[in-house]
DNA sequence: TATTGTTTAGGTGCAG
DNA sequence: CTGCACCTAAACAATA
């Protein structure tokens, strides 16, 4: 039995990767994005293990934020002074974890070269800042990036597991039931829009108030068990998994939109990328194959990503 | 100056 | 064995 104080069960290292922990923090936030310091805070609040050796794990966490395509940086508005940007989840990283579980990633999330330019750097915000009024009808669509309009009915809302299985560690199982509504709300970019001062329909900016009700219990009850699985359903069944969204029966991924063949090292929106208004599903397909580092190192094949899919 | 962010490098463990 | 996911260290640069 754990004794109060030192080395209680809750001090055990959580079975989550840094990517998982960061995703939890971001998803749990009202705006679906957090500054680095709040990500730290979230993790330390809920996982006592991470109240120590902060230098070590925070360095790793920052590494993950930069290195993994599933995290995107969102600049602060001028009226929100502070250091560093906000971090959000890439709209398409919903199927990143197996069974929607935080315990293990399905695969590494990567974006296309072109997507990368649009999603990971300022051009995306450029879009919102400078083009939204040119495309009045596109505003909502753009704000729906997080949900991907034509993916309604998939994992975000219904169950992605054929048999109705919902992994007990699925994000919304851990975070709470509200997650379902939130995912259906078109986030995180709704939040982005809101954050940037763009009008967002109230129903799209619903607030998640559940402050991680179960995680505390979870870590407390973990005990020596490496990966405890709650026997039931105290955790609302749901899955964020977008399994099948882009993957056909043969397991191949499908390129969603033509992308420039040439890399575009100089910043700036990629011309063909104004397709942003047509929805991120096209813009940000997991069909992508390049590591962020690959892009930056000039590694890999500078050919059409479709050629890399085989 | 401390924090934030990027990048490189090396390591472990696991699955195919 | 190879590739992948993940962890850690560290060297920077940028910036509030």
């Amino acid at each position: 039995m754990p004794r109060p104080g030192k080395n209680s069960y809750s001090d055990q290292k959580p079975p989550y990767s840094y990517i998982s922990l960061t995703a939890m923090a971001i998803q749990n936030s009202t705006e679906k994005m957090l500054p680095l310091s709040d990500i730290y805070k979230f993790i330390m609040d809920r996982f006592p293990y991470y109240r120590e050796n902060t230098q070590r794990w925070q360095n790793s966490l920052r590494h993950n934020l930069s290195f993994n395509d599933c995290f995107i940086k969102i600049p602060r508005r001028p009226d929100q002074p502070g250091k560093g940007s906000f971090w959000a989840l890439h709209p398409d990283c919903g199927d990143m974890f197996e069974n929607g579980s935080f315990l293990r990633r399905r695969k590494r999330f990567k974006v296309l070269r072109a997507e990368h330019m649009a999603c990971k750097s300022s051009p995306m915000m450029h879009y919102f800042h400078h083009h939204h009024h040119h495309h009045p009808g596109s505003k909502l669509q753009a704000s729906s990036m997080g949900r991907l309009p034509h993916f309604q009915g998939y994992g975000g809302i219904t169950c992605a597991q054929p048999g109705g299985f919902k992994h007990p560690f699925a994000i919304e199982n851990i975070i709470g039931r509200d997650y379902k509504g939130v995912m259906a709300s078109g986030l995180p970019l709704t939040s982005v829009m809101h954050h940037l001062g763009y009008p967002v329909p109230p129903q799209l900016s619903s607030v998640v108030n559940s402050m991680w009700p179960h995680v505390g219990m979870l870590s407390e009850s973990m005990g020596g068990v490496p990966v405890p699985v709650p026997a039931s359903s105290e955790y609302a069944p749901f899955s964020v998994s977008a399994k099948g969204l882009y993957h056909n029966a043969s397991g191949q991924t499908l390129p969603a939109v033509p992308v420039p063949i040439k890399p575009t090292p100089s910043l700036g929106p990629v011309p063909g990328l104004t397709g942003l208004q047509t929805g991120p599903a096209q813009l940000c397909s997991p069909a992508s194959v390049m590591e962020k580092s690959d892009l930056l190192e000039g590694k890999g094949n500078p050919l059409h990503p479709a050629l890399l899919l085989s």
Side-chain angles (χ1 to χ4, degrees), chain A residues 166-200:
Chain A
K166 323 296 195 311
H167 198 291
F169 280 73
I171 181 171
E172 55 291 292
N173 286 348
I174 298 170
I175 291 176
R177 294 166 173 74
D178 287 350
Y179 182 75
K180 181 173 182 178
V182 170
M183 283 308 282
S185 309
L187 294 169
L189 285 182
T190 300
S191 302
V192 175
M193 300 290 286
H194 175 72
H195 166 73
L196 293 174
Y198 296 99
V200 176

Side-chain angles (χ1 to χ4, degrees), chain A residues 41-192:
Chain A
K41 211 173 304 172
F42 175 93
I43 294 172
M44 293 172 79
D45 281 352
R46 287 157 182 80
F47 302 100
Y49 174 87
Y50 289 109
R51 290 170 193 166
E52 293 174 353
N53 301 313
T54 53
Q55 285 285 312
R56 191 191 312 176
W57 69 262
Q58 289 179 355
N59 183 23
S60 295
L61 190 141
R62 288 196 305 274
H63 162 78
N64 276 278
L65 281 173
S66 287
F67 184 76
N68 291 101
D69 286 339
C70 57
F71 300 113
I72 57 177
K73 228 172 40 171
I74 296 169
R76 286 176 184 268
R77 277 185 302 172
D79 59 305
Q80 289 181 309
K83 191 158 180 148
S85 307
F86 290 94
W87 289 95
L89 289 169
H90 190 288
D92 277 351
C93 68
D95 65 341
M96 197 165 50
F97 301 98
E98 279 184 5
N99 293 335
S101 168
F102 273 129
L103 293 178
R104 185 180 179 183
R105 273 207 295 178
R106 178 194 310 281
K107 64 183 180 297
R108 188 169 293 188
F109 178 81
K110 304 165 186 175
V111 299
L112 291 169
R113 202 177 278 273
E115 293 171 7
H116 190 267
M117 303 309 294
C119 297
K120 292 297 297 183
S121 48
S122 54
M124 175 178 72
M125 295 291 94
H126 253 267
Y127 175 86
F128 288 124
H129 278 300
H130 298 123
H131 299 293
H132 71 284
H133 52 279
H134 297 319
H135 308 281
S138 71
K139 212 182 301 177
L140 254 187
Q141 280 186 301
S143 72
S144 308
M145 285 180 74
R147 175 166 46 72
L148 312 180
H150 46 287
F151 288 151
Q152 290 178 357
Y154 282 97
I157 296 174
T158 61
C159 179
Q161 307 305 321
F165 170 73
K166 323 296 195 311
H167 198 291
F169 280 73
I171 181 171
E172 55 291 292
N173 286 348
I174 298 170
I175 291 176
R177 294 166 173 74
D178 287 350
Y179 182 75
K180 181 173 182 178
V182 170
M183 283 308 282
S185 309
L187 294 169
L189 285 182
T190 300
S191 302
V192 175

Side-chain angles (χ1 to χ4, degrees), chain A residues 111-113 116 290-299:
Chain A
V111 299
L112 291 169
R113 202 177 278 273
H116 190 267
M290 301 293 290
E291 241 350 296
K292 195 181 292 186
S293 57
D294 295 336
L295 304 175
L296 295 166
E297 292 168 9
K299 260 195 289 187

